[in-house]
Amino acid sequence: MTIRSPSALALSPLALTVLAALSCAGPVLAAGHETEGTAQIDYGPRPAYLIDKLEEGELKDTLTACLGQEPSRSDFSIGHRGAPLLFPEHTVESNVAAARMGAGILECDVTFTADEELVCRHAQNDLHTTTNILTTDLASTCNVPFSPASGDTDAAAECRTSEITLEQFRTLEPKMDSFNAAATTPEESMGGVADWRSTLYSDGATLMTHAESIELFASLGAKFTPELKSASVEMPFNGFSQEDYAQKLVDEYKAAGIPAENVWLQSFNLDDVLYWIGAEPEFGAQAVYLVDHYDIEGWSPMDLETWPASLQSYADQGVQYIAPPLWVLVTTNDAGEIVPSLWAEEAQAAGLNIITWTLERSGPLAEGGGWYFQSIAEATDSDAVYYELLHVLAQDVGVVGVFSDWPATTTFYANCFGL
């Protein structure tokens, strides 16, 4: 696959600032190795830390033997909102960090402002958890104003990009995604960061529009996986329809001259995916259906009778990529070993390309790993399971890409196994 070099782009001041910064080692990755693109690539200490925790055996031996390998970018490694384990998500800095860890594909979750401009946010209604909006004059635009915790009632707020213009959006300061439910003031509500994350690298982070993310990712030598987020407002929005929204996403790649083969559009809405397949077949060929069957009461990846549709039916409609969460793809056998689930086997049988999410979003795994590890909780007792699970996903399930909140872990594995 090809992508335009930075010298072929008319770079904005934002991207030029980033490229200048890339000439020096940043706070995350030191002693990096120059590879394709402009981002220096280095694993940092985390892969070795996880390998040390593995039980003796073939997997540990193989990964240990790769500790001296030259890092290189891999499309198997996907930056989930950048590298939000330590950086504010969907910021320039978070994505530069992910690129420095070798993520070959970077993500901008896409939503829109009041003036229908596309911006990178995980949800249209997350500004109160990901920015400082509640402590600014724009707090008055929040559709649910801040209310303090009182007695058994948690603090609450909801602030949407659709209530502010792009110009107003640019005035906000990003922060680590969190909300202190015990807060009695807006300032206190900005705390509550999980104790296994950090605010060390959150100062001075930079928000992005979707178009700016395209420019940045191209300058870093990475490819693109934007997710069209569900609107929190009723659609059409001031005449802006769901199809307009889906089309505008594609149009910004076309305007930037990005080849369709370098873009994996995503949506939880199957109709969006089918729209792209029909209206923009080159981009639709790699459109990813983010499967949310797990939201259906009683649904199980091990029980065909609970499934709303066969996986073959998606392939029959032209869907070539499908992306469930980690736990949907695996289970444990009688020996307590991690193995592919029935759902994974059916996806393979249908010829679907599988991407999964999200590695390293669970924090320490000593107590079962929470939501992302629910199907293998009995086998999840240490951080070593990150690599044990990744190995099953890559070798037995056959996933083609893994989203991670700290892409170095996945990049190291991909480099070691030639993915």
Side-chain angles (χ1 to χ4, degrees), residues 39 43 58 84 139 234 278 332 361 395 404:
Y43 301 129
E58 184 178 354
E234 185 176 348
T332 53
R361 193 156 184 82
Q395 305 303 325
S404 177

Side-chain angles (χ1 to χ4, degrees), residues 222-254:
K223 298 170 187 174
F224 315 82
T225 187
E227 180 188 338
L228 196 73
K229 303 302 296 190
S230 297
S232 298
V233 293
E234 185 176 348
M235 299 292 281
F237 175 75
N238 297 332
F240 187 57
S241 70
Q242 186 68 26
E243 289 190 352
D244 293 336
Y245 182 26
Q247 186 63 50
K248 185 165 185 173
L249 179 67
V250 175
D251 288 345
E252 294 197 344
Y253 287 95
K254 294 167 75 171

Side-chain angles (χ1 to χ4, degrees), residues 110-130:
V110 177
T111 188
F112 56 86
T113 60
D115 44 352
E116 297 164 14
E117 296 294 335
L118 303 185
V119 296
C120 298
R121 287 292 88 197
H122 177 63
Q124 191 168 65
N125 61 343
D126 74 358
L127 293 180
H128 57 292
T129 69
T130 62

Side-chain angles (χ1 to χ4, degrees), residues 77-253:
S77 179
I78 306 172
H80 180 243
R81 317 183 203 178
L85 187 64
L86 295 182
F87 289 80
E89 64 186 44
H90 289 311
T91 60
V92 169
E93 293 74 12
S94 185
N95 282 286
V96 169
R100 283 174 168 167
M101 287 184 264
I105 302 173
L106 299 174
E107 179 186 44
C108 168
D109 288 329
V110 177
T111 188
F112 56 86
T113 60
D115 44 352
E116 297 164 14
E117 296 294 335
L118 303 185
V119 296
C120 298
R121 287 292 88 197
H122 177 63
Q124 191 168 65
N125 61 343
D126 74 358
L127 293 180
H128 57 292
T129 69
T130 62
T131 75
N132 68 334
I133 191 169
L134 290 176
T135 61
T136 73
D137 291 342
L138 291 175
S140 62
T141 68
C142 295
N143 61 300
V144 177
F146 174 78
S147 59
S150 178
D152 294 333
T153 303
D154 289 342
E158 184 184 341
C159 308
R160 299 174 176 174
T161 59
S162 53
E163 303 302 312
I164 61 176
T165 65
L166 176 58
E167 182 178 2
Q168 291 171 318
F169 174 79
R170 290 190 186 280
T171 68
L172 298 175
E173 296 177 4
K175 69 179 190 69
M176 295 297 287
D177 185 15
S178 63
F179 186 81
N180 179 7
T184 58
T185 67
E187 289 76 14
E188 289 178 354
S189 75
M190 295 175 64
V193 178
D195 60 10
W196 42 270
R197 293 184 183 270
S198 173
T199 58
L200 188 61
Y201 302 116
S202 61
D203 184 54
T206 312
L207 296 172
M208 295 186 297
T209 66
H210 175 240
E212 287 168 344
S213 79
I214 296 173
E215 181 181 22
L216 174 67
F217 299 174
S219 74
L220 294 169
K223 298 170 187 174
F224 315 82
T225 187
E227 180 188 338
L228 196 73
K229 303 302 296 190
S230 297
S232 298
V233 293
E234 185 176 348
M235 299 292 281
F237 175 75
N238 297 332
F240 187 57
S241 70
Q242 186 68 26
E243 289 190 352
D244 293 336
Y245 182 26
Q247 186 63 50
K248 185 165 185 173
L249 179 67
V250 175
D251 288 345
E252 294 197 344
Y253 287 95

